[in-house]
Amino acid sequence: MTDNIELTHGQSRAFQPEKLSPPRNFIIPNIVIENKDNLPLLLEIGAGKGKHALGFVSQNPDKHLVAIERTRNKFDAFAKLTALQNAPNLDAIHADAIAWIVHAIAPSSVAKIFILYPNPEQHNPNQQWLNMPFFEFLLSRLRDDGEVVLVTNIESYMDNAAQRATEIWRLPNKRYQVPIDSQRTHFEVKYLARGETCWELSMRKPQGYKTRFDNWQADCRGIKK
């Protein structure tokens, strides 16, 4: 990959961030507004009950994770565990991840994004993460050399994601088989215990990568600056 990589936009319709309203009870953690300690900022999309998030921040005190979960009952369980652990480098957010990221996250500010065992959307493949126009916006929030980690137990989902990463999004990527003793999420524990193969795709954003949203930012009221 070389500098000034531009996507072939004609292959996908454009995401329209200006049409999204902020989530209900929208909040932005202080780490997103003013990162005084200059900690690497990470996102987790679809944190569930927080098993990965809570374990990750305990093992990585030098990084700050914002973990987003939309489903109320899962988030409530996550929030209780977050309060008990009281980790200063974790913020648990109850919101739709797409709307929250659009209104909260600045361009080129995130070091790593976790998407662990997303809904495979087998009956609606347009909603798979790398098939969505939003994925271009998500990449605009990532720093140069930042990483997106996608994990799934659905091989066809992984096959499509790896193909899209290479052919559409032009991201250097590597595919791995998840070790059988890995326990990052409740889903991962369950799938591996059943003898299923789980797959991980690591995608890197090259230096000079360009999107249509590199200079787009909303303020906290959802108004484009």
Side-chain angles (χ1 to χ4, degrees):
M1 291 290 179
T2 58
D3 288 347
N4 298 320
I5 296 168
E6 295 191 27
L7 299 176
T8 305
H9 298 308
Q11 298 187 50
S12 64
R13 67 189 188 277
F15 180 63
Q16 297 178 297
E18 68 278 0
K19 293 191 174 182
L20 283 184
S21 299
R24 183 179 301 175
N25 301 319
F26 178 59
I27 60 169
I28 304 179
N30 288 335
I31 187 71
V32 175
I33 300 170
E34 187 177 9
N35 189 352
K36 292 181 179 179
D37 296 326
N38 200 30
L39 295 179
L41 177 64
L42 288 72
L43 295 180
E44 182 173 355
I45 297 174
K49 296 179 181 179
K51 181 175 174 60
H52 171 262
L54 293 161
F56 181 86
V57 298
S58 177
Q59 297 169 16
N60 296 273
D62 59 336
K63 299 177 175 64
H64 195 106
L65 178 65
V66 175
I68 311 166
E69 174 54 45
R70 179 176 61 182
T71 305
R72 167 56 73 179
N73 63 337
K74 291 181 180 178
F75 177 78
D76 286 347
F78 179 21
K80 289 179 182 178
L81 293 172
T82 299
L84 288 173
Q85 186 163 317
N86 193 29
N89 59 329
L90 173 64
D91 283 289
I93 300 292
H94 180 227
D96 174 81
I98 293 177
W100 191 87
I101 289 168
V102 164
H103 289 279
I105 301 298
S108 302
S109 62
V110 177
K112 190 170 186 176
I113 300 168
F114 295 102
I115 308 175
L116 307 181
Y117 301 96
N119 185 330
E121 302 286 0
Q122 291 172 300
H123 300 294
N124 190 10
N126 287 336
Q127 293 300 308
Q128 294 179 7
W129 284 100
L130 274 80
N131 291 350
M132 291 193 292
F134 170 72
F135 196 73
E136 181 184 353
F137 186 92
L138 188 63
L139 293 175
S140 76
R141 309 297 101 172
L142 200 63
R143 293 179 180 177
D144 282 355
D145 203 37
E147 182 183 14
V148 180
V149 174
L150 174 72
V151 187
T152 181
N153 66 317
I154 307 294
E155 189 169 11
S156 60
Y157 189 113
M158 180 55 63
D159 290 343
N160 176 71
Q163 181 180 11
R164 299 282 296 186
T166 299
E167 297 180 2
I168 303 300
W169 303 113
R170 303 183 66 191
L171 299 172
N173 61 88
K174 293 183 179 180
R175 177 173 175 168
Y176 306 93
Q177 186 171 323
V178 176
I180 59 173
D181 59 349
S182 187
Q183 299 184 4
R184 287 174 293 188
T185 77
H186 292 99
F187 283 126
E188 189 163 87
V189 171
K190 179 175 70 173
Y191 298 146
L192 293 174
R194 293 196 308 216
E196 296 185 27
T197 299
C198 296
W199 303 98
E200 178 170 328
L201 187 67
S202 170
M203 297 164 273
R204 290 281 181 182
K205 179 180 178 180
Q207 295 285 332
Y209 191 94
K210 303 295 182 185
T211 81
R212 288 170 283 194
F213 306 104
D214 294 339
N215 297 313
W216 196 99
Q217 186 171 0
D219 67 17
C220 63
R221 297 181 300 280
I223 301 170
K224 181 178 176 183
K225 290 184 178 179

